[in-house]
Amino acid sequence: MAAPVRCFTRSLRAGALPIPRPHRTVKSQVRRVTSGATAIQTPEHAPPPNPPLFATKPGAPAPTQDPNQDSVPSRRDRIRDAKPFSDFLTDTFHRQHDYLRISVTERCNLRCVYCMPEEGVPLSPPKELLTTPEIVMLSSLFVSQGVTKIRLTGGEPTVRRDIVPLMQQIGALRTHGLRELCLTTNGLSLHRKLEPMVEAGLTGVNLSLDTLDPWQFQLMTRRAGFSAVQKTIDRIFELNRAGAGIKFKINCVVMRGLNDREILPFVDLTREKDVEVRFIEYMPFDGNKWSEGKMFSYQEMLDRIRSRYPDLQRIKGHKNDTSKTFQVPGFMGKLGFITSMTHNFCGSCNRLRITGDGNLKVCLFGNAEVSLRDIIRNVNRGDPIDEMAFKALEQAALERTGSLPSSSSRPLVVPNSEELLNVIGMAVKRKKEKHAGLGELEHMKNRPMILIDSTTSSQRRLQTHPRQSQFGLSPTLRRPPGRLPFPLLASLTTASRTTTPELRLFSTATTTRQQLPSDDHNKPRLTHVTASGAAHMVSISEKSPTKRTAQAKCTVRFSSPAPLALIRDNQIKKGDVLGVARIAGIMAAKRTPELIPLCHPVALTHAEVELVPRSSSSSSGTHSSSGSNGYEEGKEGDEEGKGRRDEIEITATVSCDGKTGVEMEALTAAGAAALTVFDMCKAVDKGMVVEGLRVVLKEGGKSGRWVEGGRVG
């Protein structure tokens, strides 16, 4: 990495702090393992202990220390120098969030059935994803506020080209409070990068593996590669025997009828291996076709294991563990159960997530996200901050402050630190006491799992100023004493203080009934939103089947007479515009439930799309069946007859015999037909406008007949 990026990890506050370098004995030990040596490092050659957990009080002189004395402060000193945990990372339920998960890529080299659709997911454009300097800046900011554990996720983090240099820079934050740097991976290529990652400070690996059968592996991941994963597992055990100290866990998502028979073989894996196998209840995410019938519950897993090992024992875990920990007496390894669906662990949640495109997500099952990326890029005019951009920002900061530090001790630069902390604090304060229950989770709109730990530009955005009271906070968040952020660059631009961050949602957020004033209780409510504000599919089980019809209209308006003349003469290069658009509209009507997430699938009895070309003049008000035969002639005609309008009016009519209406099918049909016209004519007319998409007729159902303008009976 270039020097401008390295400076992130050289200091956290105004004074310079050196980059912690891997201890020589660790490096040499890893190299000995690489070369085939089997020597195990003795305690006297062990790496130095972790840096002090608490820094000295602000303003206090640096203590002098005898090099022959132990550098670890006494318990009394640690209590004396302890600082209050950051208010920005503490929610209204007093949960302190000291664990940060960062998605470093959306890409993955597997297609696991519970994680993502077989066809993959739409990937964000590269410019929308966090750059390496941005990831390190955000990591530094969170560590300054008390985060002690960072986990890099994806996608698959090992497919990121600069994953090792990125880990080196984040690992350098160990001298400033970071205790754990972990990785969640499928293990496919980790064995090739594991040693430099250990040198960079890797302390833990969670490996996703759902089967010990190579053929079943290919079925569940839709890819080959079991042997490569086995190499990674063997390499982790090998390095741990040499003293690498990697906390190793295997995550297994259990799905009924697919891999539940492999629970016991995974348990047997812990007999002689120092590994924690964690069984995860199958969870619903977009595109993974979740159903309750596929979920193998925690209690069923316990019963299955105790049928062979009745003496299975519950053991004490960490207060913030997501899993319930067990062990078979005499076995070296442990078992864990992540019970998100049947027994939530929200009360002890200490996790925050940053998606690959820079959104802060305070709950795995929450759909509200706030963009940190957009805020941090404000000082770079909204453009990604790469190494060159960071170097320019750093130089500007040095010139403003007038400081001229030596080349080896430059201050860390975190743009908009104060604004970022305010927005982070507001998001954390809005975190709910617990996520939705089993009955609601399956209907909630959420990212595909592959994108959780990363959103596309098509998602809805709700702009909210960071200091608005709707977040439930006081106008200002006071920074706890002793928890100062890094040197700020907010003064570089006044615009950065007033630009509103974007709260990105997967469904339109709705105020709950309890939050409404009493006089608003009788106002119309959205039918597709639960009381908690989550999107869901409306139940139609109590409705009676009736004949239902809906009609929708829209217009494609051309900017010149040329396209309409070519359409009438069937001279458009792509073919028969009207015929193709008609078929496209009918096909779209039949596939509406696949395009609109909360639409019920209905059996259509009729779908019709009509396209009527029209040429009109505001002066005469008459329709003409003729048009210009060329673009230039049409242009001249427009100049002569101002107000001329050339368009295609589209009408879609859809019917069914069912329990729900077909308004969405009619709208989808008309819209798809219009888009098809646009696509086929865009080479001739780039100024086309699609306008006026609306329902003009609805018949059947409880509301009876309705036509545009109001109900008619």
Side-chain angles (χ1 to χ4, degrees), residues 34 36 157-158 194 415 428 454 488 543 597 600 620 675:
T34 306
T158 59
L194 188 58
V428 171
S454 313
L488 305 179
K543 293 185 177 183
H600 289 277
S620 64
L675 293 176

Side-chain angles (χ1 to χ4, degrees), residues 226-395:
F226 182 82
S227 60
V229 177
Q230 188 63 56
K231 284 182 182 179
T232 290
I233 295 174
D234 294 341
R235 193 63 179 144
I236 291 173
F237 287 135
E238 187 178 5
L239 290 177
N240 276 347
R241 286 194 296 270
I246 304 171
K247 294 180 182 178
F248 183 36
K249 299 177 182 178
I250 292 177
N251 291 339
C252 175
V253 176
V254 181
M255 300 175 65
R256 188 183 308 277
L258 191 58
N259 66 335
D260 57 296
R261 66 182 182 278
E262 296 200 58
I263 293 176
L264 292 177
F266 271 110
V267 174
D268 294 338
L269 188 65
T270 67
R271 185 188 301 272
E272 298 178 352
K273 300 290 186 181
D274 186 12
V275 59
E276 180 178 337
V277 175
R278 303 196 303 178
F279 298 108
I280 303 173
E281 291 179 336
Y282 181 37
M283 295 179 283
F285 294 97
D286 280 4
N288 71 351
K289 299 180 181 179
W290 184 91
S291 70
E292 189 172 354
K294 294 180 183 178
M295 190 191 74
F296 204 82
S297 71
Y298 158 60
Q299 190 58 53
E300 290 176 290
M301 298 179 203
L302 278 181
D303 293 343
R304 177 76 58 89
I305 296 171
R306 281 180 170 149
S307 67
R308 178 180 295 181
Y309 301 106
D311 53 350
L312 180 70
Q313 297 177 354
R314 178 80 180 262
I315 61 177
K316 187 176 181 180
H318 189 274
K319 68 175 183 177
N320 296 120
D321 279 348
T322 58
S323 64
K324 299 170 176 61
T325 310
F326 290 76
Q327 188 172 34
V328 177
F331 281 27
M332 184 180 296
K334 302 173 185 177
L335 303 175
F337 299 88
I338 298 180
T339 59
S340 300
M341 302 303 296
T342 59
H343 299 80
N344 75 67
F345 40 84
C346 301
S348 61
C349 180
N350 66 334
R351 294 155 187 79
L352 299 174
R353 290 172 168 81
I354 297 179
T355 61
D357 56 351
N359 279 10
L360 178 66
K361 194 175 179 74
V362 298
C363 177
L364 175 65
F365 291 106
N367 53 23
E369 305 173 1
V370 61
S371 177
L372 303 183
R373 177 203 67 197
D374 294 346
I375 299 172
I376 206 171
R377 289 180 180 178
N378 280 342
V379 294
N380 197 37
R381 299 177 181 176
D383 294 328
I385 301 176
D386 55 17
E387 297 176 29
M388 184 177 299
F390 174 75
K391 185 176 181 180
L393 292 172
E394 182 188 39
Q395 184 62 36

Side-chain angles (χ1 to χ4, degrees), residues 411-689:
L412 176 69
V413 175
V414 176
N416 303 359
S417 297
E418 191 169 7
E419 186 177 1
L420 280 165
L421 288 174
N422 280 330
V423 172
I424 291 167
M426 292 171 188
V428 171
K429 290 294 189 293
R430 293 189 71 208
K431 185 171 182 177
K432 297 181 180 180
E433 183 177 10
K434 60 183 180 179
H435 62 65
L438 178 60
E440 294 181 53
L441 279 179
E442 59 184 297
H443 300 303
M444 285 182 61
K445 185 70 178 171
N446 200 1
R447 294 180 184 238
M449 190 176 184
I450 190 77
L451 301 182
I452 289 266
D453 275 333
S454 313
T455 164
T456 61
S457 58
S458 63
Q459 290 163 359
R460 297 178 182 264
R461 298 183 177 186
L462 176 62
Q463 292 193 341
T464 309
H465 195 276
R467 291 176 176 81
Q468 283 184 341
S469 59
Q470 75 170 34
F471 285 94
L473 297 180
S474 57
T476 57
L477 283 172
R478 288 182 294 178
R479 188 177 298 105
R483 280 282 183 200
L484 298 177
F486 315 117
L488 305 179
L489 259 185
S491 59
L492 277 176
T493 172
T494 57
S496 65
R497 293 187 177 274
T498 58
T499 302
T500 57
E502 291 181 343
L503 180 65
R504 300 184 183 178
L505 304 175
F506 274 74
S507 63
T508 305
T510 304
T511 309
T512 63
R513 186 177 180 85
Q514 290 76 10
Q515 294 172 319
L516 289 171
S518 58
D519 58 344
D520 285 347
H521 283 176
N522 295 324
K523 288 185 177 180
R525 308 298 299 147
L526 297 179
T527 59
H528 286 71
V529 180
T530 65
S532 64
H536 75 127
M537 182 178 284
V538 175
S539 174
I540 58 173
S541 58
E542 303 300 323
K543 293 185 177 183
S544 301
T546 61
K547 180 174 178 58
R548 298 168 184 261
T549 299
Q551 191 174 83
K553 287 190 175 185
C554 68
T555 303
V556 179
R557 179 164 52 85
F558 300 103
S559 63
S560 79
L564 196 58
L566 293 172
I567 290 171
R568 286 188 171 120
D569 295 337
N570 198 15
Q571 295 298 311
I572 294 291
K573 289 185 178 180
K574 288 190 174 183
D576 179 5
V577 174
L578 302 182
V580 173
R582 186 177 298 110
I583 297 299
I586 295 172
M587 292 178 63
K590 295 190 291 184
R591 302 191 64 174
T592 299
E594 299 176 38
L595 303 173
I596 312 298
L598 302 181
C599 278
H600 289 277
V602 294
L604 302 183
T605 58
H606 176 71
E608 175 183 331
V609 178
E610 182 183 12
L611 296 96
V612 180
R614 297 185 184 279
S615 295
S616 63
S617 173
S618 59
S619 60
S620 64
T622 59
H623 296 287
S624 171
S625 61
S626 62
S628 173
N629 291 323
Y631 179 78
E632 292 299 330
E633 293 178 13
K635 184 176 180 182
E636 293 172 2
D638 271 347
E639 292 173 352
E640 293 175 1
K642 296 186 183 300
R644 181 189 181 100
R645 187 180 179 97
D646 295 271
E647 60 188 22
I648 293 180
E649 185 182 81
I650 300 172
T651 304
T653 306
V654 181
S655 301
C656 79
D657 294 321
K659 297 183 176 184
T660 185
V662 285
E663 298 98 314
M664 293 307 303
E665 283 74 9
L667 287 167
T668 304
L675 293 176
T676 302
V677 172
F678 191 103
D679 176 64
M680 297 185 73
C681 298
K682 64 180 184 293
V684 181
D685 185 0
K686 292 180 172 56
M688 281 179 290
V689 175

Side-chain angles (χ1 to χ4, degrees), residues 4-216:
V5 180
R6 294 195 192 101
C7 74
F8 279 116
T9 56
R10 289 184 177 170
S11 67
L12 289 182
R13 295 178 174 85
L17 291 171
I19 295 179
R21 300 191 179 278
H23 197 272
R24 185 182 300 275
T25 55
V26 176
K27 238 184 225 187
S28 58
Q29 180 184 26
V30 173
R31 287 172 182 160
R32 286 200 301 274
V33 173
T34 306
S35 62
T38 57
I40 298 178
Q41 187 170 350
T42 57
E44 58 267 26
H45 296 110
N50 287 333
L53 303 183
F54 307 102
T56 56
K57 292 181 178 179
T64 58
Q65 185 175 339
D66 185 341
N68 296 323
Q69 292 181 350
D70 192 349
S71 61
V72 179
S74 67
R75 181 174 179 271
R76 178 180 298 176
D77 291 338
R78 286 202 239 175
I79 294 175
R80 181 196 66 202
D81 296 332
K83 298 177 179 62
F85 190 82
S86 171
D87 185 49
F88 295 106
L89 303 186
T90 305
D91 66 17
T92 56
F93 304 98
H94 310 294
R95 293 174 293 201
Q96 298 178 342
H97 297 80
D98 57 1
Y99 177 9
L100 179 66
R101 299 171 65 99
I102 306 175
S103 172
V104 297
T105 182
E106 294 179 348
R107 298 183 179 277
C108 187
N109 43 13
L110 295 180
R111 293 290 183 271
C112 298
V113 294
Y114 57 81
C115 183
M116 66 190 300
E118 184 173 4
E119 66 275 12
V121 296
L123 298 177
S124 301
K127 68 177 182 179
E128 293 188 7
L129 301 177
L130 290 175
T131 65
T132 293
E134 290 166 350
I135 292 174
V136 178
M137 283 192 287
L138 290 174
S139 299
S140 303
L141 185 65
F142 277 90
V143 169
S144 79
Q145 297 301 302
V147 164
T148 60
K149 180 177 180 179
I150 292 179
R151 178 176 298 279
L152 303 183
T153 67
E156 170 51 40
T158 59
V159 304
R160 184 176 175 119
R161 292 182 180 179
D162 65 342
I163 183 64
V164 172
L166 175 60
M167 292 183 68
Q168 290 170 344
Q169 294 176 77
I170 297 176
L173 299 173
R174 287 175 292 171
T175 57
H176 310 298
L178 184 66
R179 301 179 198 172
E180 298 181 69
L181 176 57
C182 306
L183 191 74
T184 295
T185 176
N186 58 35
L188 207 61
S189 60
L190 180 60
H191 59 278
R192 297 195 296 265
K193 304 177 181 180
L194 188 58
E195 292 151 21
M197 287 182 175
V198 172
E199 292 186 14
L202 179 67
T203 61
V205 172
N206 285 10
L207 190 145
S208 299
L209 181 65
D210 306 307
T211 176
L212 299 174
D213 182 341
W215 297 107
Q216 182 76 359

